[in-house]
Amino acid sequence: MAVVTWMGIFPLASLAVAFLFPLLTALPFIVRMMVLTILIVFAMYWIVMPRLLRWLAWWLKR
């Protein structure tokens, strides 16, 4: 599960830092990190993780 979680977190965090971080530079660091982590957790829980678990069920259920 740790590998599957990393497979979801790494691309999301990379995209968030590449595209959203520059847009949020006017915000204080803590607020910026709160926004980014909320978006990453939301995307992981509702979008990415269900798909990863479905696609990799053959590997996880061994």
Side-chain angles (χ1 to χ4, degrees), residues 2-46:
V3 172
V4 174
T5 302
W6 176 82
M7 289 171 65
I9 289 287
F10 180 75
L12 284 176
S14 298
L15 290 172
V17 168
F19 295 108
L20 296 178
F21 202 77
L23 300 175
L24 302 174
T25 54
L27 298 174
F29 176 76
I30 295 297
V31 175
R32 188 176 3 175
M33 293 310 292
M34 284 175 41
V35 169
L36 289 175
T37 56
I38 287 169
L39 292 173
I40 291 170
V41 169
F42 177 81
M44 271 299 289
Y45 187 78
W46 293 104

Side-chain angles (χ1 to χ4, degrees), residues 4 50-62:
V4 174
R51 285 172 178 80
L52 280 175
L53 291 177
R54 197 173 322 119
W55 294 336
L56 298 172
W58 61 272
W59 182 58
L60 294 169
K61 302 239 175 164
R62 285 187 189 191

